[in-house]
Amino acid sequence: MKISIITVTYNAASVLKRTLDSVKAQSWQQIEHLIIDGASKDETVSMAETYKAQCPYEVVVLSEPDKGLYDAMNKGLRLATGDYLVFLNAGDTLHAADTLETIVRSAQPLPGVLYGDTAITDEQGNFLHLRRLRPPKKLSWKSFRQGMLVCHQAFYALTDIAKDLPYDPRYRYSADVDWCIRVMKEAQKRQLPLVNTQAILADYQEEGQTTIHHRDSLKERFDVMRHHYGLFSTVMMHLWFAVRQLIK
């Protein structure tokens, strides 16, 4: 079984090394690592090319201007040839050396999605805490009414499904939420299970675009949820979110 790891970069030289090191350290080496760069002006591309020369598995480095994060991620989708794919952005890491081995062990028979938990780290990659939103024991596309319960970096999609569902360029900050829901819907149509690996799969850096652009991100997420779950359900769930914050 081959796993496609897609890493999107732009001027990421300061954080890319730990991402590449975490992939290189994997005990499972049936890997295709796609590094999709947006024409970086720092050392990102030279670091990726050096890494490519050192790896026993396939590494593709594509550097060219793009129309933003999700455009770059769609390029990765089109290039992916593994059985499963995951997005691991610069600065994020696979949690342990046997993370991909855990995915492969859990993929019998082939599910639509494999998922797990996420550790939050600081800018140096040090563990801070587990992600506040925890993955449910049993996941369905309806689960995301409660928020994005599975982090994008801990969401391994069957490539046959994922390649047919590009990211929606209308969303600037929340296309990942929409994409995960659509992948899970398609898995349900195909009667493919969503499998909880019961493991921490990713280390995710705390700061990100959705944190920097918090208000815009929240508005987009509301629009995504309204599209998939309806206006009434989305409003009621957001009222519950507000009440939950007040009673904490």
Side-chain angles (χ1 to χ4, degrees):
M1 180 178 292
K2 183 167 71 172
I3 308 294
S4 294
I5 299 172
I6 304 170
T7 299
V8 172
T9 61
Y10 181 70
N11 292 343
S14 63
V15 296
L16 181 59
K17 184 178 185 300
R18 65 171 173 262
T19 303
L20 302 181
D21 286 348
S22 79
V23 178
K24 193 188 300 185
Q26 290 301 299
S27 55
W28 186 264
Q29 292 279 291
Q30 299 300 314
I31 300 169
E32 170 187 68
H33 197 175
L34 306 171
I35 301 172
I36 312 299
D37 181 74
S40 290
K41 296 174 176 61
D42 64 0
E43 300 301 313
T44 298
V45 176
S46 61
M47 288 178 64
E49 292 290 357
T50 299
Y51 163 77
K52 176 180 179 178
Q54 295 171 345
C55 289
Y57 47 83
E58 182 181 1
V59 177
V60 175
V61 180
L62 174 65
S63 183
E64 62 185 20
D66 56 47
K67 298 176 183 177
L69 174 63
Y70 296 117
D71 179 46
M73 292 167 82
N74 278 336
K75 292 179 184 181
L77 278 181
R78 290 192 291 269
L79 292 173
T81 63
D83 298 284
Y84 286 87
L85 61 83
V86 67
F87 288 89
L88 190 71
N89 290 333
D92 304 326
T93 61
L94 299 169
H95 181 69
D98 65 349
T99 293
L100 295 187
E101 209 170 321
T102 297
I103 293 298
V104 172
R105 284 199 306 267
S106 303
Q108 302 299 332
L110 296 180
V113 172
L114 296 120
Y115 68 97
D117 219 328
T118 303
I120 303 300
T121 68
D122 62 18
E123 291 182 355
Q124 286 72 48
N126 299 312
F127 175 84
L128 295 175
H129 53 82
L130 288 176
R131 188 168 179 262
R132 180 180 63 82
L133 292 177
R134 305 293 300 282
K137 290 182 179 179
K138 291 187 177 181
L139 181 70
S140 80
W141 69 269
K142 296 179 181 179
S143 301
F144 274 31
R145 282 183 297 188
Q146 303 171 53
M148 195 173 186
L149 299 183
V150 179
C151 185
H152 203 198
Q153 289 82 343
F155 187 96
Y156 287 71
L158 187 68
T159 303
D160 283 350
I161 292 177
K163 287 176 75 73
D164 291 337
L165 299 170
Y167 289 84
D168 190 333
R170 293 177 299 173
Y171 300 119
R172 294 183 62 194
Y173 310 111
S174 300
D176 54 345
V177 182
D178 171 70
W179 181 79
C180 287
I181 294 171
R182 288 189 288 122
V183 167
M184 291 187 287
K185 279 184 171 181
E186 183 60 27
Q188 179 176 294
K189 286 181 184 177
R190 300 188 189 191
Q191 299 184 321
L192 296 174
L194 312 180
V195 172
N196 188 343
T197 63
Q198 302 184 41
I200 301 173
L201 299 180
D203 291 348
Y204 174 68
Q205 191 171 316
E206 191 168 40
E207 196 70 26
Q209 287 298 309
T210 54
T211 305
I212 296 167
H213 302 280
H214 187 60
R215 180 175 293 182
D216 291 336
S217 173
L218 289 178
K219 182 180 181 300
E220 275 199 359
R221 288 196 181 205
F222 183 90
D223 290 342
V224 168
M225 292 176 70
R226 179 178 59 182
H227 172 74
H228 289 288
Y229 306 121
L231 179 60
F232 178 77
S233 176
T234 301
V235 169
M236 294 304 294
M237 189 56 67
H238 276 74
L239 287 174
W240 163 238
F241 293 158
V243 170
R244 186 174 62 186
Q245 289 296 320
L246 291 173
I247 63 177
K248 273 187 177 180

